[in-house]
Amino acid sequence: MRHQQARTNAAHRVAEDNHWITAGSTGAGAVVTGDRHAAGPEVPLNLRVYEVAELLDRELAEFAHRHASGPAPTGRKHLAAYAYSIAQQADADARSDYEVLQMASNLRAAMETGDADQAVGKLTCPGCLCWSLISARIRGQWHCVCLNLRCAPTPDAPRSWALADVARHNLVAVS
């Protein structure tokens, strides 16, 4: 468990430094650790997980606005049920948008809760089609970063993908 957490924390730092390309960086003792934003006695819940839920609410409201007429309902459960019903009754584009939104949200939640290794490790890179993705926080947003050197646009910078792009690619690959 501790090793897995250390690997996840190291993945979060990939975009911030050259850890993945520095000679000897994969040797023993090279694991980068970081702070975990867990709940404490003053805050009864993990605020980052709450932010993920709020972001999903905004994305579901935008989805409903794009694919349906009329106002979207308020409340998390009602909005989620409404978006699901729109996706089931609408055309293939709306269903695809909904599936991408859900998968990207699930990836984001996994990354925030430290389960990124299981979630991202099963997905292929949209650029090189390899299973070489890890999660990384880039400028405050979660992304998937491909560690395949052949996929990198330049030797010193890994290619990063927005969660929606990774979700769209992997959902199309399954279809």
Side-chain angles (χ1 to χ4, degrees):
M1 177 69 178
R2 200 161 111 195
H3 176 68
Q4 181 181 7
Q5 181 181 0
R7 278 187 18 216
T8 303
N9 287 339
H12 296 174
R13 305 272 189 222
V14 164
E16 297 173 10
D17 64 16
N18 291 330
H19 175 78
W20 70 282
I21 60 169
T22 304
S25 66
T26 58
V31 176
V32 179
T33 59
D35 297 335
R36 302 282 300 189
H37 294 275
E42 64 280 352
V43 180
L45 65 123
N46 185 335
L47 294 178
R48 286 198 173 167
V49 173
Y50 183 72
E51 289 170 1
V52 168
E54 284 186 326
L55 179 59
L56 178 60
D57 290 347
R58 286 193 301 273
E59 289 174 344
L60 287 174
E62 290 170 7
F63 169 81
H65 181 69
R66 278 193 315 268
H67 295 287
S69 59
T74 58
R76 184 166 287 141
K77 289 182 181 179
H78 297 295
L79 182 59
Y82 181 65
Y84 178 77
S85 68
I86 291 171
Q88 296 305 311
Q89 298 168 4
D91 60 355
D93 288 339
R95 279 191 298 278
S96 175
D97 283 352
Y98 180 77
E99 289 173 358
V100 167
L101 186 143
Q102 287 291 66
M103 186 174 188
S105 177
N106 290 342
L107 286 171
R108 193 177 300 114
M111 291 174 182
E112 286 293 350
T113 58
D115 294 331
D117 290 342
Q118 280 88 19
V120 177
K122 297 176 183 176
L123 304 174
T124 59
C125 173
C128 67
L129 306 178
C130 291
W131 287 280
S132 53
L133 295 176
I134 63 168
S135 60
R137 197 179 267 282
I138 301 173
R139 291 182 291 282
Q141 300 294 320
W142 283 107
H143 287 76
C144 289
V145 174
C146 182
L147 294 181
N148 188 342
L149 292 176
R150 291 184 207 121
C151 189
T154 61
D156 62 340
R159 181 174 287 186
S160 67
W161 301 93
L163 299 182
D165 294 334
V166 171
R168 190 172 297 105
H169 165 74
N170 282 276
L171 288 169
V172 168
V174 170
S175 303

